[in-house]
Amino acid sequence: MSYITPLQALWSSVIITAIYPVVGKLAVGSVSPLAIVLLGTLGTALIYVPWLCKKGYWRLLFRRDLFFKFAAVGLFGTALPYLLIFIALNYTTPANSAILNQTEVIYSLILSAVFLKEYPSKKQLFGTAVLICGVGLLLAGEGLSVKLKGDLIILATVWMFQVSHIAAKKLPADIPDNLIVCARALFGFLCTVPTAFILTRFDVPFYCGFSLKSVLILLFMAVFNNLIGNIFWYKAIRNMALAKATAVILVYPVFTYLLSAALGYDKLKMTQILGLLLAMGGAYMVTNTIRKGTEK
């Protein structure tokens, strides 16, 4: 994917990321969270089987110095957070889910500095602060009290994505992006299998209706979210500072909110509109620091 720049890949990932909370809400009653994660990751992994066999990359997936990094990418990037988020969407709205994920930027700034030695510039910090103020207004207008259970579940997941991204950044530079995407799906599936077994013992349901809606939901997760979206994401974060990429992708609630409102899950008010404008402005500032090449 050399024809696309890291910044273009990042914004492409933003659009796909904005859609999945709405898809998760649409899945309620048709496909259970366990089924979405399990079958979605399995579908992505199966797509990669011919490529793995042709390239002979199977050995790399289980090589001692790479195994635990790949496992962390799958466990903390897909298996646990997606499962929790889709469970939370039974209680909260797609917009609330997306907005609460903005707290991830805090973990990104701290963990990137500690583990990757990537330190934000003053302009990046200012742009990030404006973005957070924007999503804060969105959140204030939405209100948490009615959907508290789902919101608390969402808040318990945000740090997991950053652990996964740091593990991916720690992989050798010669590891293809496609292999990371494949590993995220494969290890996400392998980690979800025992998790599903345990949760079903506690009456957490596993079901998938045989309908066009269910098929389209699973296809979106396997092909667009887990495959194409992650290809764009790793193209971006392996060529720029993680905190910068995180700050930009966390503007996705703007698009989630608009889509969710269009489908009737949320209503736009003046507070939310002001929040949308601030969030977009903050993302634009951070995007400019990337475009000016303050880091590769």
PDB file of all heavy atoms in Angstrom, residues 139-165:
ATOM      1  N   LEU A 139     -20.153  14.913  25.292  1.00  0.00           N
ATOM      2  CA  LEU A 139     -20.503  14.027  26.401  1.00  0.00           C
ATOM      3  C   LEU A 139     -21.437  14.724  27.385  1.00  0.00           C
ATOM      4  O   LEU A 139     -22.403  14.133  27.871  1.00  0.00           O
ATOM      5  CB  LEU A 139     -19.227  13.575  27.122  1.00  0.00           C
ATOM      6  CG  LEU A 139     -19.382  12.504  28.200  1.00  0.00           C
ATOM      7  CD1 LEU A 139     -20.048  11.268  27.641  1.00  0.00           C
ATOM      8  CD2 LEU A 139     -18.024  12.162  28.789  1.00  0.00           C
ATOM      9  N   ALA A 140     -21.183  16.001  27.655  1.00  0.00           N
ATOM     10  CA  ALA A 140     -22.029  16.750  28.583  1.00  0.00           C
ATOM     11  C   ALA A 140     -23.451  16.868  28.042  1.00  0.00           C
ATOM     12  O   ALA A 140     -24.432  16.757  28.785  1.00  0.00           O
ATOM     13  CB  ALA A 140     -21.442  18.134  28.825  1.00  0.00           C
ATOM     14  N   GLY A 141     -23.548  17.070  26.737  1.00  0.00           N
ATOM     15  CA  GLY A 141     -24.874  17.180  26.135  1.00  0.00           C
ATOM     16  C   GLY A 141     -25.601  15.855  26.093  1.00  0.00           C
ATOM     17  O   GLY A 141     -26.822  15.800  26.168  1.00  0.00           O
ATOM     18  N   GLU A 142     -24.844  14.764  25.981  1.00  0.00           N
ATOM     19  CA  GLU A 142     -25.448  13.431  25.910  1.00  0.00           C
ATOM     20  C   GLU A 142     -25.922  12.959  27.266  1.00  0.00           C
ATOM     21  O   GLU A 142     -26.987  12.372  27.409  1.00  0.00           O
ATOM     22  CB  GLU A 142     -24.417  12.439  25.338  1.00  0.00           C
ATOM     23  CG  GLU A 142     -24.875  10.989  25.277  1.00  0.00           C
ATOM     24  CD  GLU A 142     -26.042  10.795  24.343  1.00  0.00           C
ATOM     25  OE1 GLU A 142     -26.327  11.701  23.548  1.00  0.00           O
ATOM     26  OE2 GLU A 142     -26.705   9.747  24.432  1.00  0.00           O
ATOM     27  N   GLY A 143     -25.109  13.203  28.286  1.00  0.00           N
ATOM     28  CA  GLY A 143     -25.502  12.771  29.631  1.00  0.00           C
ATOM     29  C   GLY A 143     -25.159  11.316  29.865  1.00  0.00           C
ATOM     30  O   GLY A 143     -25.326  10.475  28.999  1.00  0.00           O
ATOM     31  N   LEU A 144     -24.655  11.015  31.064  1.00  0.00           N
ATOM     32  CA  LEU A 144     -24.205   9.653  31.373  1.00  0.00           C
ATOM     33  C   LEU A 144     -25.172   8.869  32.254  1.00  0.00           C
ATOM     34  O   LEU A 144     -25.136   7.654  32.271  1.00  0.00           O
ATOM     35  CB  LEU A 144     -22.847   9.712  32.099  1.00  0.00           C
ATOM     36  CG  LEU A 144     -21.629  10.078  31.259  1.00  0.00           C
ATOM     37  CD1 LEU A 144     -20.426  10.220  32.168  1.00  0.00           C
ATOM     38  CD2 LEU A 144     -21.352   9.044  30.204  1.00  0.00           C
ATOM     39  N   SER A 145     -26.024   9.543  32.992  1.00  0.00           N
ATOM     40  CA  SER A 145     -26.750   8.877  34.066  1.00  0.00           C
ATOM     41  C   SER A 145     -27.642   7.735  33.586  1.00  0.00           C
ATOM     42  O   SER A 145     -27.714   6.686  34.213  1.00  0.00           O
ATOM     43  CB  SER A 145     -27.594   9.898  34.831  1.00  0.00           C
ATOM     44  OG  SER A 145     -28.475  10.568  33.949  1.00  0.00           O
ATOM     45  N   VAL A 146     -28.307   7.932  32.455  1.00  0.00           N
ATOM     46  CA  VAL A 146     -29.256   6.927  31.994  1.00  0.00           C
ATOM     47  C   VAL A 146     -28.549   5.667  31.519  1.00  0.00           C
ATOM     48  O   VAL A 146     -29.058   4.559  31.649  1.00  0.00           O
ATOM     49  CB  VAL A 146     -30.121   7.513  30.850  1.00  0.00           C
ATOM     50  CG1 VAL A 146     -31.071   6.457  30.289  1.00  0.00           C
ATOM     51  CG2 VAL A 146     -30.915   8.709  31.376  1.00  0.00           C
ATOM     52  N   LYS A 147     -27.354   5.835  30.998  1.00  0.00           N
ATOM     53  CA  LYS A 147     -26.667   4.709  30.377  1.00  0.00           C
ATOM     54  C   LYS A 147     -25.404   4.326  31.159  1.00  0.00           C
ATOM     55  O   LYS A 147     -24.428   3.849  30.592  1.00  0.00           O
ATOM     56  CB  LYS A 147     -26.285   5.078  28.946  1.00  0.00           C
ATOM     57  CG  LYS A 147     -27.417   5.717  28.141  1.00  0.00           C
ATOM     58  CD  LYS A 147     -26.932   6.173  26.781  1.00  0.00           C
ATOM     59  CE  LYS A 147     -28.002   6.961  26.060  1.00  0.00           C
ATOM     60  NZ  LYS A 147     -28.164   8.311  26.639  1.00  0.00           N
ATOM     61  N   LEU A 148     -25.436   4.516  32.474  1.00  0.00           N
ATOM     62  CA  LEU A 148     -24.228   4.410  33.282  1.00  0.00           C
ATOM     63  C   LEU A 148     -23.562   3.045  33.182  1.00  0.00           C
ATOM     64  O   LEU A 148     -22.338   2.947  33.097  1.00  0.00           O
ATOM     65  CB  LEU A 148     -24.544   4.735  34.746  1.00  0.00           C
ATOM     66  CG  LEU A 148     -23.337   4.764  35.694  1.00  0.00           C
ATOM     67  CD1 LEU A 148     -22.327   5.794  35.233  1.00  0.00           C
ATOM     68  CD2 LEU A 148     -23.794   5.069  37.124  1.00  0.00           C
ATOM     69  N   LYS A 149     -24.351   1.966  33.194  1.00  0.00           N
ATOM     70  CA  LYS A 149     -23.768   0.629  33.157  1.00  0.00           C
ATOM     71  C   LYS A 149     -22.913   0.425  31.914  1.00  0.00           C
ATOM     72  O   LYS A 149     -21.759  -0.027  31.988  1.00  0.00           O
ATOM     73  CB  LYS A 149     -24.870  -0.430  33.209  1.00  0.00           C
ATOM     74  CG  LYS A 149     -24.351  -1.863  33.262  1.00  0.00           C
ATOM     75  CD  LYS A 149     -25.504  -2.849  33.429  1.00  0.00           C
ATOM     76  CE  LYS A 149     -24.986  -4.282  33.509  1.00  0.00           C
ATOM     77  NZ  LYS A 149     -26.101  -5.262  33.711  1.00  0.00           N
ATOM     78  N   GLY A 150     -23.457   0.746  30.756  1.00  0.00           N
ATOM     79  CA  GLY A 150     -22.708   0.606  29.514  1.00  0.00           C
ATOM     80  C   GLY A 150     -21.513   1.525  29.463  1.00  0.00           C
ATOM     81  O   GLY A 150     -20.438   1.160  28.985  1.00  0.00           O
ATOM     82  N   ASP A 151     -21.676   2.751  29.968  1.00  0.00           N
ATOM     83  CA  ASP A 151     -20.593   3.731  29.953  1.00  0.00           C
ATOM     84  C   ASP A 151     -19.401   3.271  30.792  1.00  0.00           C
ATOM     85  O   ASP A 151     -18.241   3.454  30.410  1.00  0.00           O
ATOM     86  CB  ASP A 151     -21.086   5.085  30.462  1.00  0.00           C
ATOM     87  CG  ASP A 151     -22.140   5.691  29.537  1.00  0.00           C
ATOM     88  OD1 ASP A 151     -22.093   5.400  28.331  1.00  0.00           O
ATOM     89  OD2 ASP A 151     -22.998   6.422  30.023  1.00  0.00           O
ATOM     90  N   LEU A 152     -19.684   2.681  31.955  1.00  0.00           N
ATOM     91  CA  LEU A 152     -18.605   2.201  32.819  1.00  0.00           C
ATOM     92  C   LEU A 152     -17.851   1.049  32.164  1.00  0.00           C
ATOM     93  O   LEU A 152     -16.629   0.928  32.304  1.00  0.00           O
ATOM     94  CB  LEU A 152     -19.168   1.777  34.178  1.00  0.00           C
ATOM     95  CG  LEU A 152     -19.677   2.909  35.074  1.00  0.00           C
ATOM     96  CD1 LEU A 152     -20.295   2.348  36.353  1.00  0.00           C
ATOM     97  CD2 LEU A 152     -18.557   3.887  35.417  1.00  0.00           C
ATOM     98  N   ILE A 153     -18.572   0.196  31.442  1.00  0.00           N
ATOM     99  CA  ILE A 153     -17.906  -0.904  30.726  1.00  0.00           C
ATOM    100  C   ILE A 153     -16.972  -0.338  29.663  1.00  0.00           C
ATOM    101  O   ILE A 153     -15.831  -0.797  29.501  1.00  0.00           O
ATOM    102  CB  ILE A 153     -18.940  -1.849  30.089  1.00  0.00           C
ATOM    103  CG1 ILE A 153     -19.763  -2.547  31.179  1.00  0.00           C
ATOM    104  CG2 ILE A 153     -18.242  -2.902  29.213  1.00  0.00           C
ATOM    105  CD1 ILE A 153     -20.907  -3.389  30.643  1.00  0.00           C
ATOM    106  N   ILE A 154     -17.444   0.676  28.933  1.00  0.00           N
ATOM    107  CA  ILE A 154     -16.611   1.315  27.906  1.00  0.00           C
ATOM    108  C   ILE A 154     -15.341   1.886  28.527  1.00  0.00           C
ATOM    109  O   ILE A 154     -14.226   1.699  28.013  1.00  0.00           O
ATOM    110  CB  ILE A 154     -17.390   2.437  27.192  1.00  0.00           C
ATOM    111  CG1 ILE A 154     -18.583   1.880  26.421  1.00  0.00           C
ATOM    112  CG2 ILE A 154     -16.461   3.222  26.267  1.00  0.00           C
ATOM    113  CD1 ILE A 154     -18.219   1.020  25.241  1.00  0.00           C
ATOM    114  N   LEU A 155     -15.480   2.592  29.639  1.00  0.00           N
ATOM    115  CA  LEU A 155     -14.328   3.199  30.298  1.00  0.00           C
ATOM    116  C   LEU A 155     -13.297   2.169  30.748  1.00  0.00           C
ATOM    117  O   LEU A 155     -12.113   2.484  30.890  1.00  0.00           O
ATOM    118  CB  LEU A 155     -14.788   4.037  31.492  1.00  0.00           C
ATOM    119  CG  LEU A 155     -15.467   5.368  31.151  1.00  0.00           C
ATOM    120  CD1 LEU A 155     -16.038   6.013  32.405  1.00  0.00           C
ATOM    121  CD2 LEU A 155     -14.479   6.317  30.468  1.00  0.00           C
ATOM    122  N   ALA A 156     -13.743   0.935  30.970  1.00  0.00           N
ATOM    123  CA  ALA A 156     -12.824  -0.119  31.409  1.00  0.00           C
ATOM    124  C   ALA A 156     -11.991  -0.683  30.264  1.00  0.00           C
ATOM    125  O   ALA A 156     -11.065  -1.470  30.494  1.00  0.00           O
ATOM    126  CB  ALA A 156     -13.608  -1.255  32.070  1.00  0.00           C
ATOM    127  N   THR A 157     -12.281  -0.271  29.012  1.00  0.00           N
ATOM    128  CA  THR A 157     -11.585  -0.864  27.865  1.00  0.00           C
ATOM    129  C   THR A 157     -10.506   0.019  27.253  1.00  0.00           C
ATOM    130  O   THR A 157      -9.637  -0.483  26.545  1.00  0.00           O
ATOM    131  CB  THR A 157     -12.587  -1.176  26.739  1.00  0.00           C
ATOM    132  OG1 THR A 157     -13.065   0.048  26.158  1.00  0.00           O
ATOM    133  CG2 THR A 157     -13.771  -1.969  27.254  1.00  0.00           C
ATOM    134  N   VAL A 158     -10.553   1.331  27.503  1.00  0.00           N
ATOM    135  CA  VAL A 158      -9.773   2.267  26.673  1.00  0.00           C
ATOM    136  C   VAL A 158      -8.270   2.021  26.726  1.00  0.00           C
ATOM    137  O   VAL A 158      -7.567   2.204  25.725  1.00  0.00           O
ATOM    138  CB  VAL A 158     -10.091   3.726  27.042  1.00  0.00           C
ATOM    139  CG1 VAL A 158     -11.485   4.090  26.585  1.00  0.00           C
ATOM    140  CG2 VAL A 158      -9.964   3.963  28.534  1.00  0.00           C
ATOM    141  N   TRP A 159      -7.748   1.613  27.880  1.00  0.00           N
ATOM    142  CA  TRP A 159      -6.302   1.408  27.999  1.00  0.00           C
ATOM    143  C   TRP A 159      -5.837   0.203  27.184  1.00  0.00           C
ATOM    144  O   TRP A 159      -4.670   0.126  26.780  1.00  0.00           O
ATOM    145  CB  TRP A 159      -5.911   1.215  29.471  1.00  0.00           C
ATOM    146  CG  TRP A 159      -6.550   0.000  30.095  1.00  0.00           C
ATOM    147  CD1 TRP A 159      -7.761  -0.053  30.715  1.00  0.00           C
ATOM    148  CD2 TRP A 159      -6.001  -1.322  30.158  1.00  0.00           C
ATOM    149  NE1 TRP A 159      -8.018  -1.335  31.154  1.00  0.00           N
ATOM    150  CE2 TRP A 159      -6.951  -2.130  30.833  1.00  0.00           C
ATOM    151  CE3 TRP A 159      -4.814  -1.895  29.712  1.00  0.00           C
ATOM    152  CZ2 TRP A 159      -6.743  -3.489  31.056  1.00  0.00           C
ATOM    153  CZ3 TRP A 159      -4.605  -3.246  29.937  1.00  0.00           C
ATOM    154  CH2 TRP A 159      -5.558  -4.030  30.602  1.00  0.00           C
ATOM    155  N   MET A 160      -6.741  -0.727  26.928  1.00  0.00           N
ATOM    156  CA  MET A 160      -6.356  -1.963  26.237  1.00  0.00           C
ATOM    157  C   MET A 160      -5.858  -1.701  24.827  1.00  0.00           C
ATOM    158  O   MET A 160      -4.866  -2.298  24.386  1.00  0.00           O
ATOM    159  CB  MET A 160      -7.546  -2.926  26.194  1.00  0.00           C
ATOM    160  CG  MET A 160      -8.037  -3.375  27.554  1.00  0.00           C
ATOM    161  SD  MET A 160      -9.473  -4.475  27.407  1.00  0.00           S
ATOM    162  CE  MET A 160      -9.906  -4.649  29.146  1.00  0.00           C
ATOM    163  N   PHE A 161      -6.536  -0.807  24.104  1.00  0.00           N
ATOM    164  CA  PHE A 161      -6.115  -0.509  22.744  1.00  0.00           C
ATOM    165  C   PHE A 161      -4.684   0.030  22.710  1.00  0.00           C
ATOM    166  O   PHE A 161      -3.892  -0.320  21.824  1.00  0.00           O
ATOM    167  CB  PHE A 161      -7.069   0.506  22.103  1.00  0.00           C
ATOM    168  CG  PHE A 161      -8.405  -0.059  21.734  1.00  0.00           C
ATOM    169  CD1 PHE A 161      -9.561   0.397  22.348  1.00  0.00           C
ATOM    170  CD2 PHE A 161      -8.526  -1.037  20.759  1.00  0.00           C
ATOM    171  CE1 PHE A 161     -10.799  -0.118  22.011  1.00  0.00           C
ATOM    172  CE2 PHE A 161      -9.760  -1.562  20.415  1.00  0.00           C
ATOM    173  CZ  PHE A 161     -10.901  -1.104  21.040  1.00  0.00           C
ATOM    174  N   GLN A 162      -4.347   0.876  23.676  1.00  0.00           N
ATOM    175  CA  GLN A 162      -3.001   1.449  23.685  1.00  0.00           C
ATOM    176  C   GLN A 162      -1.927   0.395  23.963  1.00  0.00           C
ATOM    177  O   GLN A 162      -0.838   0.453  23.392  1.00  0.00           O
ATOM    178  CB  GLN A 162      -2.919   2.577  24.712  1.00  0.00           C
ATOM    179  CG  GLN A 162      -3.561   3.871  24.255  1.00  0.00           C
ATOM    180  CD  GLN A 162      -2.995   4.377  22.940  1.00  0.00           C
ATOM    181  OE1 GLN A 162      -1.785   4.564  22.812  1.00  0.00           O
ATOM    182  NE2 GLN A 162      -3.839   4.596  21.952  1.00  0.00           N
ATOM    183  N   VAL A 163      -2.222  -0.558  24.827  1.00  0.00           N
ATOM    184  CA  VAL A 163      -1.278  -1.667  25.070  1.00  0.00           C
ATOM    185  C   VAL A 163      -1.046  -2.430  23.768  1.00  0.00           C
ATOM    186  O   VAL A 163       0.095  -2.771  23.409  1.00  0.00           O
ATOM    187  CB  VAL A 163      -1.813  -2.612  26.161  1.00  0.00           C
ATOM    188  CG1 VAL A 163      -0.938  -3.868  26.267  1.00  0.00           C
ATOM    189  CG2 VAL A 163      -1.858  -1.895  27.512  1.00  0.00           C
ATOM    190  N   SER A 164      -2.119  -2.680  23.032  1.00  0.00           N
ATOM    191  CA  SER A 164      -2.010  -3.370  21.748  1.00  0.00           C
ATOM    192  C   SER A 164      -1.175  -2.573  20.753  1.00  0.00           C
ATOM    193  O   SER A 164      -0.303  -3.122  20.064  1.00  0.00           O
ATOM    194  CB  SER A 164      -3.409  -3.608  21.171  1.00  0.00           C
ATOM    195  OG  SER A 164      -3.353  -4.048  19.838  1.00  0.00           O
ATOM    196  N   HIS A 165      -1.411  -1.266  20.672  1.00  0.00           N
ATOM    197  CA  HIS A 165      -0.690  -0.437  19.704  1.00  0.00           C
ATOM    198  C   HIS A 165       0.798  -0.353  20.041  1.00  0.00           C
ATOM    199  O   HIS A 165       1.650  -0.354  19.145  1.00  0.00           O
ATOM    200  CB  HIS A 165      -1.295   0.968  19.672  1.00  0.00           C
ATOM    201  CG  HIS A 165      -2.759   0.983  19.324  1.00  0.00           C
ATOM    202  ND1 HIS A 165      -3.356  -0.022  18.599  1.00  0.00           N
ATOM    203  CD2 HIS A 165      -3.735   1.882  19.631  1.00  0.00           C
ATOM    204  CE1 HIS A 165      -4.644   0.263  18.449  1.00  0.00           C
ATOM    205  NE2 HIS A 165      -4.897   1.398  19.066  1.00  0.00           N
TER     206      HIS A 165
END
